[in-house]
Amino acid sequence: MIKAALNRVNITPYIRCPLGGYAARKDVSQGIHDDLYARILIIEGGESVAVVAVDLLGLPFSVVKEIRQAATHVTGIPRGNIMLAATHTHSGPNILKLEDTHSVDHCYITTLIKDIVGGVYAGWKQRENAEIGIRRGCVEGIGVNRRSPDGIPIDPEVGVMKLESQNSMGILINYTCHAVVLGPDNLLISADYPGVTTRFIERVKGEGVVAMFTNGAAGDINTGHSAELSALGEKIPGRTFERAEKLGTMLAGEVLKVLETIEPSSNISIAARTKEVSLPLKPLPSLKEAEASAKEKERALNELTRKGAPAELITKAKIEKLYADILLKQVYERNKSSHDVVKRVELQAIRIGDCALLAFPGELFVEIGLEIKAKSPFKYTYIVGYANGYVGYVPTKQAFEEGGYEAVTAQFVPEASDIVVEESLALLNSLA
């Protein structure tokens, strides 16, 4: 017999907090459209695990470490058995760049840590006999491959885990798509479409229900717009609360349908493993070279603007300047932090019956997630992105050859994707 518990903690920041997710955003938050939450699932059966899904862009490694340490102290759950995943909403507080004291509020982060640890503790104290069931659904019309003219490949699978106890019901959702319906012009705090999904399900299923959303390998998957134009702050049609409501409701409808097919069982085994892997960092130009390139791209853009060049040429020049500025920032950060040629990255896998949750601290391309799923020894495999830290994009080799925003932004070599697949499968097989 397993024991489990669910909890939900409000983590909404204050109005006028700095927002994260878009460099093109021009102002601090102006209000709250919908609240942000940390949703917590505790399961005990052989081993004890905690899965926490937060309505945030991501969590810094240092914050993950502090939460795990404190949660372990008050519950006894091993640190490596605690998963902290972000939904990746781009309409929440800016907390990833802790060193930037002008745009990160450390008082909010201190409160956030205490709230999450308190939520885990409260859940631990409330655990009771429970049953778990797992099924999958499919939904199209939400996620789009933003790098492909035909919008594919995508991962349309909707993972649904249902947990039932005498006094509560928990629903863990896994779906692959950036939470970026709302663009840089939005200045209201919001959980974006995943918030619509979870609120809709909780409203329909009633009192005592906690629905939590985990994102997948969504590095190249969003709701259908250019990453470059979004980064430039261009006006893009359809980035509205109305569309977030529509897409979130579509996903909720599929989840509710799948829920009715699930037959929970108490005969569930629980286990967890973590593994550190080394991902090689891509070589960067010298600071002098990067600065010269950025200045040249800025000069070219100014010249085109002065001449009144066609809009498409100016947009192309803006993108080239964006890439040069990103590269220059990477050089600054690499020189400031260290000159390492590899980065140690944590992989985490949690087994819940015939389902495995595989956590990666960043943005895997969907092709990588699909390969891991196809080769996994488990009947159900949920790739949980934006979990236990943040290291940015891991594109495919082909994406590096093609270039583009994700390839420029990525800090790793093209071969990193092969390492992630190989090490992820080894970790999954160790739990099978």
Side-chain angles (χ1 to χ4, degrees):
M1 174 62 73
I2 65 169
K3 290 189 174 183
L6 298 134
N7 203 6
R8 180 176 53 223
V9 179
N10 194 312
I11 58 170
T12 308
Y14 55 91
I15 297 171
R16 293 195 55 77
C17 76
L19 295 167
Y22 299 112
R25 191 175 261 134
K26 302 300 184 184
D27 207 346
V28 295
S29 65
Q30 301 298 303
I32 299 170
H33 180 273
D34 52 277
D35 285 332
L36 310 184
Y37 288 93
R39 292 175 165 90
I40 299 155
L41 169 63
I42 308 286
I43 309 177
E44 182 182 28
E47 293 188 40
S48 299
V49 300
V51 180
V52 182
V54 294
D55 292 325
L56 296 171
L57 182 69
L59 287 167
F61 292 105
S62 59
V63 172
V64 171
K65 182 178 179 181
E66 191 168 344
I67 292 172
R68 280 175 161 175
Q69 182 174 349
T72 295
H73 177 71
V74 296
T75 66
I77 302 173
R79 297 181 193 182
N81 291 22
I82 300 172
M83 180 183 292
L84 295 152
T87 64
H88 203 48
T89 178
H90 284 49
S91 296
N94 181 28
I95 69 169
L96 280 181
K97 297 290 185 181
L98 294 181
E99 69 279 2
D100 186 354
T101 56
H102 297 291
S103 64
V104 175
D105 187 328
H106 288 263
C107 291
Y108 171 77
I109 293 175
T110 298
T111 302
L112 174 71
I113 292 169
K114 292 179 178 179
D115 284 342
I116 294 174
V117 172
V120 173
Y121 174 73
W124 177 255
K125 298 293 285 185
Q126 295 164 6
R127 65 196 189 282
E128 57 185 358
N129 292 341
E131 296 183 324
I132 295 177
I134 303 154
R135 293 292 293 271
R136 62 167 61 91
C138 179
V139 64
E140 297 186 356
I142 300 176
V144 177
N145 195 304
R146 66 190 186 190
R147 293 177 55 91
S148 171
D150 56 7
I152 57 175
I154 63 170
D155 185 354
E157 181 178 271
V158 182
V160 182
M161 181 180 298
K162 178 182 181 181
L163 183 145
E164 284 187 316
S165 65
Q166 183 177 348
N167 298 306
S168 63
M169 176 190 294
I171 302 152
L172 190 150
I173 305 157
N174 183 248
Y175 181 69
T176 303
C177 182
H178 263 75
V180 290
V181 177
L182 306 170
D185 59 329
N186 171 54
L187 298 178
L188 299 180
I189 294 163
S190 174
D192 210 283
Y193 83 87
V196 175
T197 298
T198 52
R199 289 194 306 272
F200 190 97
I201 293 169
E202 289 171 350
R203 187 165 63 248
V204 169
K205 301 305 289 186
E207 191 73 23
V209 173
V210 175
M212 54 198 300
F213 177 94
T214 58
N215 219 321
D220 49 351
I221 306 296
N222 68 13
T223 51
H225 57 264
S226 160
E228 284 82 1
L229 294 182
S230 183
L232 292 174
E234 299 287 334
K235 284 282 187 180
I236 299 173
R239 305 190 79 175
T240 64
F241 284 105
E242 290 76 16
R243 186 155 181 251
E245 194 76 24
K246 175 184 176 181
L247 299 183
T249 303
M250 286 171 58
L251 180 57
E254 180 65 13
V255 173
L256 290 169
K257 183 178 74 173
V258 173
L259 277 175
E260 299 308 312
T261 70
I262 295 177
E263 295 293 337
S265 169
S266 60
N267 187 24
I268 297 290
S269 60
I270 309 296
R273 302 284 186 278
T274 61
K275 183 178 188 180
E276 276 200 346
V277 300
S278 296
L279 298 183
L281 298 171
K282 69 183 181 184
L284 295 175
S286 68
L287 179 59
K288 183 178 180 180
E289 291 170 330
E291 288 176 335
S293 176
K295 289 178 182 177
E296 170 56 27
K297 299 303 181 185
E298 183 175 18
R299 185 201 64 77
L301 172 60
N302 291 338
E303 183 67 12
L304 287 171
T305 304
R306 185 185 67 79
K307 291 181 177 180
E312 59 268 22
L313 290 181
I314 291 178
T315 297
K316 183 178 180 182
K318 285 181 178 179
I319 291 173
E320 292 298 323
K321 180 180 180 299
L322 171 69
Y323 291 167
D325 289 343
I326 290 171
L327 190 60
L328 177 58
K329 185 178 180 181
Q330 288 177 331
V331 172
Y332 277 136
E333 291 179 349
R334 182 85 61 88
N335 289 348
K336 183 173 60 178
S337 58
S338 70
H339 295 276
D340 293 341
V341 295
V342 298
K343 179 182 277 291
R344 301 288 291 174
V345 175
E346 181 194 277
L347 295 177
Q348 180 190 39
I350 293 178
R351 173 179 181 165
I352 304 173
D354 55 3
C355 177
L357 280 61
L358 178 75
F360 182 82
E363 315 203 35
L364 298 175
F365 268 36
V366 72
E367 296 91 335
I368 300 169
L370 289 171
E371 182 177 356
I372 293 171
K373 283 186 173 185
K375 297 177 179 178
S376 170
F378 289 90
K379 182 177 180 180
Y380 304 99
T381 301
Y382 298 172
I383 308 297
V384 182
Y386 316 100
N388 305 326
Y390 185 76
V391 296
Y393 288 97
V394 178
T396 60
K397 290 180 182 177
Q398 180 181 343
F400 275 103
E401 293 172 2
E402 295 168 348
Y405 177 80
E406 300 88 356
V408 172
T409 306
Q411 62 175 318
F412 303 113
V413 298
E415 294 75 20
S417 60
D418 292 337
I419 298 171
V420 170
V421 171
E422 180 181 352
E423 296 289 358
S424 296
L425 292 172
L427 185 60
L428 290 170
N429 280 303
S430 74
L431 280 178

